[in-house]
Amino acid sequence: MTGVSLSPAPSSPLTLDPRVWQLWGKADPTRASEGGPDWHPLLCHVLDVVACAERLLVHVRPDRLDALAAAIALPREAALPWVLFFVALHDLGKATPPFQVKVAARAQALLDLGLDFPNRDEPHGSLSTVLTTKALTEHGLPPRLARWVARSVGAHHGEFASLGKLGELEQEKGVLHPGYAGDKPLWALLRTHLVQALAGVCGISPSTARPSLPQGAANRHAFAADLAGLTSVADWLGSNADVFAYVEPPASPADYLALARERAVRAVDAAGWRLPPRPPRRTFRELFDKDPWPLHEAVEELLPALRGPSLVVVEAPMGEGKTEAALTIFDALAARGASGLYFALPTQATSNQIFGRVERFLRAAFPGETHGLHLVHGDAGLSERYDALKARAFAMRSVDGVARGEGGPVADAWFARSKRALLAPLAVGTVDQALLGVLGVRHAFLRLHGLAGKVVVIDEVHAYDTYTSELLDRLLSWLGALGATVVLLSATLPAARRDALVRAFGAAPCPPAAYPRITLATAGASSSSTSFPARRAPVTVSLVWQPAPTLPERLAQALSGGGCAVWIVNTVRRAQQTYLALRALRDRGLLPADLDLGLLHARFPFDARAGRERSAEASFGPGEASRPRAAILVGTQVLEQSLDLDFDLMITELAPVDLVLQRAGRLHRHTREKPRPRAVERPTLWLVRPEHDERPEGPEFGASALIYTPSVLLRSWLALRDRAEIVLPTDIEPLIESVYGDAAPAAAAELTARLAELDRESEAQERTEKNKALMIELAAPDANDPFHDLARVFEDEDPRIHRSLRAKTRLGEPSVEVVPVIGRGARVVLAGDPGVTIDLDSKDPPPHHAVVAAARQAVGITHRGVVDALLRDQARGPACFEASGHLRFHHVLRLDDAGRTTIAGVSLTLDPELGLVVGSLELPDNEAP
């Protein structure tokens, strides 16, 4: 970035009182043994942070300087001194008795100078907010802007001071009660000198142009979130004592700032901050070395219209290349200065898959360049691919994106912590990580700051319930205010949901073009819709309703000549039962002897599930080399999202129609070099007939009604029951709207009455879910004070916190992550890795290899009785887990040598073939899988 530099203001009329240097900002008694000072002057620490903020704004994230400058109506050259002055005041609250008393030796030295220490305590962030308000008004800022800036920089430890808290601390606006400010006038004098010194080195003088209050509430609050995030990041970087070594009081602030700037270069570089990619403008063909499909051509045509923050909604059938379309948009906007990419997926499994695709994209699209890429979800630390990028980061460091070594993606450890991950220029992870930016949790604004100005891609946007959808809508409103461009991907998005997403971004919905389509919206304007042709000719999928009891034998007949089938069910228990039934058929010789039989669901230990996912992709992906002659994969909903799998025949339990269509998208997905077996040469979907479907009021849905909304299941059954086939993509939109649209389906009186009752129950449930989201989320950016309640201190992943108080991104039954172990007493071995022993009573965390091994063996339990009993009997995990960041909220599941235990009267068995079995899998005589 050129044209911006920071120069000290003309010499201040106030000569710095040397006693200011005696106020401490950082302290560490252990540093005295290393031969250096054991404390760091407050003025020096603040200048360390200023230097880091300057380095970030000028050399790494100039887009944020542009955004902050535009908000306060100043050109970037005039805005930089003010932004740095704002950041400099973040620790002004440390120049008070409640903070300075925390180190006894320094407190005594200040007493000797004539300062006093009233017996009050208060976090220095709140005190900074009060004192900064006055300092800024005295430097000519409008009072409202001074307060907003003060609250923003004072929030650097995670929470904005509420107006009520400020009222408790102030005598009048900007004036602390003496108990916090100190009774001795010397306190106020030193603070005045400190502020004046900071104004001088930042370039603020009486003649400097003054900033204005951002116009409009949304702009004001986006500015506040951005400034708070910048301040927190600069404070973290400037607190690295290994780079910013403690010093004796220097000669002058200007002299020390020169040293701090040199150190800031090292601090920012050591953390791994790199410029996001800045490619030349490229066509799809240049980017991917292949011809574009119709979706990609349509995307290229709309790219010139992407000016400023935009919303792009891509609705296209499965297999149309939506991921490549999103990366094409990113590449084009990166060339224009977008600050990075966050690709958000609904699950960890899909995140892991797309992470690999984005890594390959970066290697091919930016050869020889080094860019930081991070995986962002709760188990990212267990990814071998992510670990490999971390290892490479140590050998490849560059602030300016210049290649070192062989180039390629890296993952610097500084960004690997959960609160920092979204700051990375490029990242792939779960949508939950982005949604935390609009929940009332500490440092929520930091996540918003990390996403500001980026291209944010959210895949499978149809896949969320009312609660999570409300959070997603709120996230869109903030992303639009923060200058992000959002790309939403879906194959099966209801019209009402699409319009809600457009409105959430701040645009007006428009009449939709024909499906498949792209909707383009700009905040504060209307939207537009463009259609494009599907890349393949319509595919006819035969629908056959099959009675459950005869399914295994029918499947055996269908695969007698070979073929790859998938059987998708709605619960883990049903998946395990179905697998056992098919295994018994194979053992009896009723299935081909060489048939590969697999099982995939969410109740396998992490390592086992990851291995099964890799095996499924190898066997049923687009290639031919590993595809078995005959196979059946039994699985749950994990098979319907993003995984690139291709089957010859599919069986599925009834689910909401959009999910049935998603599942059907895995039928005959790829063109095969070898012909498919004759019995499965046409794509066929077998739907399991629900129980009692002959009744006038319609069928029962059993356990599926606990997973999905009963009214949606009934509407989906009505939409599909009389069909012999569906044509993809032609029938996708009509089927979706027949279930989720306003029109009532044609049905007999008994069915109509039942559906009306289920609809009423569904509407009540949706209101409840939306209200729960409203209670926990940030207000919209155009609200009066969205940060008022940003002070919750609960850990959102802690299962001990009552569900009504936890900041959750999704509703659902409470769950606990358990590590299965075998042994007696304190020392146990991992059930899935007996070579690893853990001392549960140790107060120290297990060795790193044991932590990783334990985390890889973890499995989630959602059975309500078992979860309640575990939390009652083990209020906390073992001591060594509590001491480990990664295992902190894990519990142990003690098993006998056969892998069994009983909790709350429920049997649990860890079976290597079945995963964790909860309860009995025996079927009643009249029930079949």
Side-chain angles (χ1 to χ4, degrees), residues 113-250:
L113 291 177
L115 294 169
D116 63 313
F117 288 92
N119 187 22
R120 293 289 185 91
D121 191 22
E122 179 67 28
H124 69 270
S126 300
L127 302 178
S128 292
T129 301
V130 175
L131 296 172
T132 298
T133 301
K134 182 179 181 182
L136 291 175
T137 54
E138 290 175 345
H139 279 78
L141 264 67
R144 288 185 69 197
L145 176 58
R147 180 64 105 188
W148 267 113
V149 169
R151 290 181 71 195
S152 300
V153 298
H156 60 280
H157 284 293
E159 59 188 84
F160 280 67
S162 69
L163 298 181
K165 167 55 69 175
L166 296 177
E168 295 174 7
L169 300 175
E170 293 175 315
Q171 281 186 321
E172 57 185 87
K173 196 169 186 178
V175 179
L176 280 175
H177 283 292
Y180 299 105
D183 290 314
K184 299 290 185 178
L186 182 56
W187 282 110
L189 177 65
L190 295 182
R191 286 192 291 266
T192 298
H193 278 249
L194 177 63
V195 171
Q196 193 69 25
L198 294 173
V201 295
C202 289
I204 305 299
S205 72
S207 62
T208 305
R210 263 46 187 171
S212 302
L213 182 72
Q215 296 299 302
N219 289 333
R220 184 161 59 252
H221 298 140
F223 167 80
D226 223 358
L227 179 58
L230 169 69
T231 305
S232 296
V233 174
D235 187 42
W236 282 339
L237 291 169
S239 297
N240 181 354
D242 292 331
V243 176
F244 295 96
Y246 294 177
V247 299
E248 300 288 349

Side-chain angles (χ1 to χ4, degrees), residues 675-924:
R676 300 179 192 264
R678 182 180 298 274
V680 290
E681 62 184 353
R682 294 188 56 200
T684 302
L685 178 64
W686 291 358
L687 285 157
V688 182
R689 287 178 57 182
E691 294 181 1
H692 311 300
D693 61 341
E694 75 286 349
R695 299 185 314 173
E697 67 271 27
E700 293 294 335
F701 300 112
S704 295
L706 303 175
I707 309 297
Y708 303 115
T709 304
S711 66
V712 174
L713 286 175
L714 185 54
R715 286 175 175 272
S716 298
W717 177 75
L718 287 168
L720 296 171
R721 64 172 177 169
D722 295 326
R723 282 180 171 264
E725 62 186 27
I726 54 175
V727 181
L728 301 178
T730 308
D731 288 335
I732 289 179
E733 186 165 44
L735 282 170
I736 294 294
E737 293 309 314
S738 71
V739 172
Y740 294 101
D742 294 331
E750 294 92 342
L751 259 175
T752 300
R754 181 185 175 203
L755 183 59
E757 177 61 26
L758 290 177
D759 281 344
R760 285 190 290 272
E761 294 175 3
S762 174
E763 290 167 3
Q765 180 63 25
E766 288 179 0
R767 287 192 297 271
T768 299
E769 290 188 15
K770 185 166 184 174
N771 287 335
K772 287 181 178 180
L774 291 171
M775 290 173 61
I776 203 72
E777 69 183 357
L778 289 183
D782 59 358
N784 182 49
D785 186 4
F787 303 113
H788 178 73
D789 291 325
L790 186 54
R792 295 185 175 92
V793 297
F794 302 120
E795 298 277 4
D796 53 278
E797 70 268 33
D798 187 347
R800 295 166 296 179
I801 299 298
H802 191 275
R803 295 176 69 204
S804 65
L805 298 178
R806 290 170 60 194
K808 293 167 64 71
T809 56
R810 308 193 195 196
L811 291 181
E813 288 300 311
S815 64
V816 168
E817 289 288 314
V818 298
V819 177
V821 299
I822 298 174
R824 297 177 179 82
R827 301 191 70 83
V828 298
V829 298
L830 298 181
D833 192 352
V836 177
T837 302
I838 297 177
D839 182 359
L840 296 179
D841 287 345
S842 172
K843 294 182 179 180
D844 297 322
H848 176 71
H849 77 279
V851 170
V852 172
R856 290 185 180 279
Q857 295 302 315
V859 62
I861 296 179
T862 57
H863 187 286
R864 190 61 179 264
V866 174
V867 170
D868 289 346
L870 279 171
L871 295 180
R872 182 179 63 249
D873 298 338
Q874 302 179 35
R876 293 180 177 273
C880 66
F881 282 15
E882 284 288 311
S884 166
H886 200 97
L887 299 176
R888 183 179 174 193
F889 297 118
H890 288 60
H891 291 65
V892 293
L893 183 67
R894 290 180 176 271
L895 305 174
D896 62 21
D897 291 338
R900 300 189 181 94
T901 190
T902 300
I903 298 178
V906 179
S907 65
L908 293 96
T909 305
L910 185 63
D911 186 285
E913 269 194 277
L914 301 176
L916 185 65
V917 179
V918 179
S920 171
L921 294 181
E922 292 184 5
L923 290 168

Side-chain angles (χ1 to χ4, degrees), residues 14 52 57 251 325 420 464 491 554 601 705 767 778 802 883 896-897 906 929:
L14 188 66
C52 290
L57 291 172
R420 300 176 183 174
Y464 304 108
R554 289 174 183 250
H601 55 69
R767 287 192 297 271
L778 289 183
H802 191 275
D896 62 21
D897 291 338
V906 179

